Amino acid sequence: MRHFLSFFFLLCSFLTLAQDLYTRNIHVNNGLFSNNVNKTFVDSEGRVWIGSRGGLARKIMDKFELHPAAQEKKFNNIFDITEDAQGNIWAGSYGLGVLLLSESESRIFNTDTGLVSDFVRNLIVLNNRVYVGTKDGLSVISITDFTIQNFTPQSKDQKDDRSFAITSVFELNQQIYVSTLNDGLFKIEHNKLVLVDAFAGHRINFFKTINHELYFSSSLGFYKLNPQTFKPLKSYNLPDVREMIPLNGAFLLLRSSMVDFTGGLYQLKNETLTNFNTNFNLKSLEYKSFAYDSVFDRLYIGSNEDGLFISELNNSIQYNRNFKEIEAMLFAADKKFIFHENGLSILKNNQEIKTIPNSQFFSYQKANPLNTANKQKLFKLLPFYPEVENFTLKFYKDIYFKDSFFWVPTNIGIFKMDLNGNFVAYLPLHVYHFYIQNNQLVAPIPHNGTVLISNLQTLDHQYFSDFENGKSHPFTPLNVVDMAVTDSAVYFASALEGIYQFKNGKFTSWRTEKWFSVNKIKRITINSKGQLIVVSDFNDIYVFNLDDPKPTLIKTKDFKKIKGASTQFVEELDGVLYVGTNLGINVFYIDGNEKKYFFIDHEQGFTNSEKNTAISHQNQMYILSSTGYFYIDNSYFKNNRNFTANVMLAKFTINDTDKIAQITDADNIQPFALTHDENNIFIEFFLDKVRFPNKLSYYYQLHEDGEWIEVLHDRKIYLPYLAPGEYKLALKIIDNDSSTEITEPIIQFKIKEAFYNTLWFTVICLLVAGAISYISFSSFKKKKKKEIQFLELKHQVLISQLDAHFLFNILSAIKYLKRTADGPAADEVIDLFSDFIRKTLVFTNANKITLNQDISYLKNYVDLVNLGRDEPVEFTTKIAADINIDQVEVLPILMQPFVENCMKYAFPESISHPKITLIISRYPQGLKFELVDNGVGFQVEKQDVKSEKQSLGISIVANRLQIHNKITKQGLHISSDSTGTKVEVFYEQ
């Protein structure tokens, strides 16, 4: 009720002021599934529904999506939608009967289940029954047990060979009445339809009771009836009204006539009808239905072939489109001066009191003596002197006002006028920006320096050029795109040269003085604190304190990045900063320690963001455009506004298996556990009942106090390959319309450890490895000391290759391939793995192997490890031409520990195209091996902080080289930086 009353007052205030409301049209070309919208409906939860020939749809965020149950049952051509007391939705189809949607089921009622007809025109819920009006009679469905009772004509005379179409059902004085299209008004008495009044000549649209008053619409007009006698108390010449909404003593009526096509919205107030098509900016005349959304103060209007119209009744930004191509605006003496394509219009109390057309500006220019007597004084400053009326007059935004007079610049000169719109003086000066003080004018000349006119009557002036008499003038403002003024100085923004100032009769370049190095400036303005705000070409904002002789830069970290590539205006009003770009209006406000950011664009009603200028007046910011002017109340950004939303899950999968059926909503999800390989989660969510969904940005975190990660896709979160652990997925939603944020928990779950990472499995692996070591050591314990050392090293090599994690990664890959019915691929992996194990056992028992065998072993190892990587590592070799790899022999498994280190530690996900290169060449004592990777590198002096497994592998190779080499004792060198790691091994032959 509170929302409904607020709607009354809001709408009445809009209509009284005759202000244009923001209405947007949704159709098949911008997202609607059908241009035909027969019914609009807002349920008790504030959810918006529409019915059309295309089906039944509900509003989800900024789109209307067909209801899955209606789609599954191919239930379309919807004519009416209603809701019962339990919150169940009922939809009527013209041809398919009635569809019931409840939380537990969906059910269809048709002629097979007892309806009098499948061609449903309207649905009305009364007294725990659904009254179904069809083209051939009335059916009444009991909501409790779904039994059906039918009512049809009692005689052939009543039917008269025509369909018995029901148009409305209503209750009056505890009596149920039924209206028909052609057969009059009936009442239900003793389970029969009894004629009350034939209403001869009327094609009845509906009867409706409001506050014990009875209203009646037909093909002949709109009436207020006596509820006792059904005789007219008042009639209105407004036929074919389809629906009506009460408006606090008034009514909003929706009319649609297929005969004269004069439909639309009307207000009935104090017995006066007013057409509101213009106020609502409606472009169709064939309307079918409308519904009011009390949550967001919106009106949804369905049309026959023009889609859906959505009117904002309480919008942040207001719009006036009475004037086009507005270039400038001035507020003075309770008047509004609007400079537009046709001239100057003066308004008082929003009523136009005077218009000065363009022709009068041309006439005054011709008659002004300065135009001829002093033309030559400024000739070099003006490229032309337009003096013909067919020249297009253009106003510029910088208007100077003082002492009941204002100066307005145009492309044919500057005009001085009084507040009654009378011309006072004229300057033949073509400039975009200027400032007047003490009868002096300073202005940058477009692309041609700056002029200082010391006497406005005689036009005595001084011209400042950037280059004159062979000398450059670095302090002369050039390429000026904006200007700002304080009591003591004038500031110029240059598109290429930074900031200039004119103070105490002197021009100064901030860039030349090294006060401010940024040279590409878009816009500047003076804020309420007397500070200069600068917006650069890269949309960075700077604020300067101007109290001292040298400007002081204030930190800009309080401001976020501006949305948009082209800044068109920057203005400040009472601490609120407006930055207009090609995408919309960026608004910044610092409220104590809280930094607020807002963004206004077409979604909220700012429909023209091209070539805008802005001006503030009292507590409102006005934005001028080619199609009219917009204005925003400054308190919209200073007052705190709450943002609430219900997070709903649309999709939820684990390893591509749909789990959404196990979840009702985000608030009811209980913590759950997953196995180690159930670690790929996908979530798609939406927000229920959001006013401006495109103003929202989303971030998620996986752990409390964890990092917030932006949701880059369309409300979709991908969580692949999650590591074992506990997770609490939460969602942060930032609303740039209200500058607020909320945080909502989504799901809690735990991923268990893999069995091969458990303690018991590690113990078994250690026991197996120890047994292998003992057997290998015992079989060679009688050999000489050097051979024993060598064999011990070989046993350690073997253990390092039979790493438990490595082995079970391979086994898991084989298991996955088998489970996915990829048998051949699994067999190939088994063969590859078997070959690796065989070579490991053989090579660790061999004294030497060929270089070819060693390289093949390395490639085999890399291929196996690549099975567990998203992006495989490329392994290549470069071998000197004088080395025969089939004849040269080396110690077995010599370089493998370094390759293993590369595969484990060098290539995190941030490295693209990982690569390892093995280079083999000769040096005087034998072979030189170089292993080079393009990974992340590490600090060589801190390599002891790596894993024990990595240090063991390096020490094994170092010891083997020390035993093998006779001359080259330092046979191992490692170097590393941010570009990768290089390992050099010197092997004597």
Side-chain angles (χ1 to χ4, degrees), residues 130-394:
V130 179
Y131 290 81
V132 183
T134 76
K135 78 176 185 67
D136 294 316
L138 177 70
S139 293
V140 181
I141 304 174
S142 170
I143 296 176
T144 56
D145 58 13
F146 301 132
T147 57
I148 299 175
Q149 183 180 9
N150 293 324
F151 296 87
T152 55
Q154 299 302 306
S155 68
K156 186 176 181 181
D157 292 338
Q158 283 181 308
K159 191 172 182 182
D160 196 19
D161 294 329
R162 293 175 297 178
S163 61
F164 193 70
I166 308 299
T167 57
S168 66
V169 178
F170 63 97
E171 185 176 18
L172 182 64
N173 299 325
Q174 298 183 343
Q175 175 68 58
I176 303 297
Y177 291 87
V178 180
S179 68
T180 63
L181 183 64
N182 297 303
D183 299 283
L185 178 66
F186 294 79
K187 64 180 178 180
I188 298 179
E189 194 172 74
H190 305 299
N191 291 326
K192 295 181 181 180
L193 292 179
V194 178
L195 181 64
V196 176
D197 193 320
F199 285 93
H202 292 272
R203 287 174 59 88
I204 300 174
N205 294 309
F206 66 81
F207 283 79
K208 192 164 190 175
T209 58
I210 300 176
N211 296 328
H212 305 292
E213 295 181 334
L214 181 61
Y215 296 90
F216 164 53
S217 170
S218 78
S219 58
L220 300 183
F222 182 76
Y223 306 87
K224 179 180 179 181
L225 302 181
N226 185 314
Q228 304 299 327
T229 64
F230 296 97
K231 301 302 180 183
L233 297 175
K234 184 69 178 178
S235 63
Y236 303 92
N237 185 23
L238 190 66
D240 294 317
V241 173
R242 287 185 172 271
E243 293 188 6
M244 63 186 296
I245 294 177
L247 298 175
N248 193 30
F251 295 105
L252 191 63
L253 310 177
L254 181 69
R255 177 175 184 260
S256 180
S257 174
M258 302 298 292
V259 179
D260 56 8
F261 298 101
T262 55
L265 281 175
Y266 292 80
Q267 183 196 39
L268 176 60
K269 185 175 183 180
N270 298 328
E271 300 184 358
T272 301
L273 280 172
T274 305
N275 190 320
F276 277 168
N277 278 351
T278 301
N279 302 91
F280 281 81
N281 194 23
L282 297 175
K283 300 178 181 179
S284 177
L285 297 176
E286 295 184 71
Y287 299 106
K288 305 284 285 186
S289 172
F290 65 175
Y292 172 64
D293 180 356
S294 63
V295 176
F296 298 130
D297 289 324
R298 277 180 180 156
L299 201 63
Y300 292 88
I301 307 169
S303 71
N304 188 43
E305 293 294 345
D306 296 308
L308 179 70
F309 295 87
I310 305 176
S311 293
E312 301 286 348
L313 305 181
N314 182 24
N315 210 25
S316 59
I317 185 165
Q318 306 302 321
Y319 179 42
N320 186 302
R321 47 191 167 88
N322 293 329
F323 306 96
K324 307 299 181 186
E325 301 294 341
I326 302 177
E327 300 292 346
M329 186 179 287
L330 172 69
F331 294 89
D334 296 327
K335 296 177 182 177
K336 185 187 301 181
F337 300 80
I338 302 176
F339 301 86
H340 52 86
E341 62 181 358
N342 295 322
L344 166 62
S345 294
I346 304 176
L347 284 72
K348 189 169 185 177
N349 298 325
N350 286 330
Q351 298 295 322
E352 190 169 357
I353 60 175
K354 187 175 182 180
T355 298
I356 298 92
N358 291 341
S359 59
Q360 292 189 23
F361 286 88
F362 285 108
S363 298
Y364 189 80
Q365 179 210 26
K366 289 182 178 181
N368 192 292
L370 285 179
N371 195 36
T372 55
N374 297 303
K375 180 188 299 184
Q376 296 304 317
K377 288 187 176 182
L378 297 177
F379 180 76
K380 69 176 182 177
L381 305 183
L382 285 172
F384 54 84
Y385 284 84
E387 298 178 358
V388 291
E389 291 191 17
N390 61 0
F391 187 86
T392 302
L393 179 66
K394 184 175 179 62

Side-chain angles (χ1 to χ4, degrees), residues 798-812:
L798 174 61
I799 295 171
S800 70
Q801 308 317 305
L802 299 180
D803 175 72
H805 186 71
F806 165 74
L807 294 178
F808 280 90
N809 273 343
I810 304 304
L811 294 176
S812 295

Side-chain angles (χ1 to χ4, degrees), residues 317 569 578-581 583-587 598-600 606 623 632:
I317 185 165
F569 67 84
Y578 297 76
V579 181
T581 72
L583 295 183
I585 306 171
N586 300 263
V587 183
F598 309 82
F599 187 64
I600 306 294
F606 185 53
I623 298 96
I632 310 175

Side-chain angles (χ1 to χ4, degrees), residues 53 195 559 596 691 752 776 853 940:
R53 287 193 292 265
L195 181 64
F559 300 106
K596 295 184 176 182
R691 186 177 188 188
K752 300 178 181 179
S776 299
Q853 288 176 314
V940 177

Side-chain angles (χ1 to χ4, degrees), residues 777 781 979:
F777 177 76
K781 64 181 180 179
T979 63

Side-chain angles (χ1 to χ4, degrees), residues 70 195 550 805 812 854 943 965:
L195 181 64
K550 176 183 175 181
H805 186 71
S812 295
D854 196 45
Q943 68 181 25
N965 289 343

Side-chain angles (χ1 to χ4, degrees), residues 288-539:
K288 305 284 285 186
S289 172
F290 65 175
Y292 172 64
D293 180 356
S294 63
V295 176
F296 298 130
D297 289 324
R298 277 180 180 156
L299 201 63
Y300 292 88
I301 307 169
S303 71
N304 188 43
E305 293 294 345
D306 296 308
L308 179 70
F309 295 87
I310 305 176
S311 293
E312 301 286 348
L313 305 181
N314 182 24
N315 210 25
S316 59
I317 185 165
Q318 306 302 321
Y319 179 42
N320 186 302
R321 47 191 167 88
N322 293 329
F323 306 96
K324 307 299 181 186
E325 301 294 341
I326 302 177
E327 300 292 346
M329 186 179 287
L330 172 69
F331 294 89
D334 296 327
K335 296 177 182 177
K336 185 187 301 181
F337 300 80
I338 302 176
F339 301 86
H340 52 86
E341 62 181 358
N342 295 322
L344 166 62
S345 294
I346 304 176
L347 284 72
K348 189 169 185 177
N349 298 325
N350 286 330
Q351 298 295 322
E352 190 169 357
I353 60 175
K354 187 175 182 180
T355 298
I356 298 92
N358 291 341
S359 59
Q360 292 189 23
F361 286 88
F362 285 108
S363 298
Y364 189 80
Q365 179 210 26
K366 289 182 178 181
N368 192 292
L370 285 179
N371 195 36
T372 55
N374 297 303
K375 180 188 299 184
Q376 296 304 317
K377 288 187 176 182
L378 297 177
F379 180 76
K380 69 176 182 177
L381 305 183
L382 285 172
F384 54 84
Y385 284 84
E387 298 178 358
V388 291
E389 291 191 17
N390 61 0
F391 187 86
T392 302
L393 179 66
K394 184 175 179 62
F395 298 98
Y396 301 132
K397 72 179 183 68
D398 285 343
I399 299 176
Y400 176 74
F401 170 71
K402 189 175 183 181
D403 299 332
S404 301
F405 297 96
F406 61 86
W407 299 76
V408 55
T410 74
N411 56 346
I412 63 172
I414 302 177
F415 294 86
K416 181 180 181 181
M417 306 180 73
D418 65 20
L419 296 182
N420 293 318
N422 301 313
F423 293 98
V424 177
Y426 169 75
L427 294 178
L429 191 63
H430 180 205
V431 295
Y432 301 125
H433 315 279
F434 72 99
Y435 178 67
I436 299 176
Q437 190 175 38
N438 299 326
N439 201 38
Q440 292 184 333
L441 181 146
V442 59
I445 303 300
H447 314 296
N448 201 24
T450 303
V451 62
L452 174 63
I453 300 177
S454 57
N455 190 305
L456 295 179
Q457 284 70 42
T458 63
L459 295 188
D460 294 335
H461 69 279
Q462 183 178 1
Y463 175 64
F464 300 87
S465 174
D466 62 325
F467 191 86
E468 191 173 351
N469 299 325
K471 295 182 179 180
S472 61
H473 298 276
F475 299 117
T476 301
L478 300 173
N479 303 304
V480 174
V481 293
D482 205 0
M483 193 171 76
V485 179
T486 65
D487 293 337
S488 60
V490 182
Y491 299 89
F492 306 90
S494 170
L496 299 174
E497 305 295 335
I499 301 294
Y500 296 89
Q501 71 179 35
F502 180 73
K503 189 174 184 180
N504 300 325
K506 176 184 176 182
F507 287 102
T508 305
S509 168
W510 286 18
R511 186 183 180 193
T512 303
E513 294 290 341
K514 297 183 179 179
W515 294 345
F516 185 48
S517 61
V518 177
N519 61 320
K520 293 184 178 181
I521 309 298
K522 286 185 176 181
R523 294 289 180 264
I524 59 174
T525 192
I526 302 295
N527 67 12
S528 55
K529 297 180 180 179
Q531 300 165 331
L532 182 68
I533 299 178
V534 179
V535 180
S536 74
D537 203 37
F538 300 99
N539 282 341

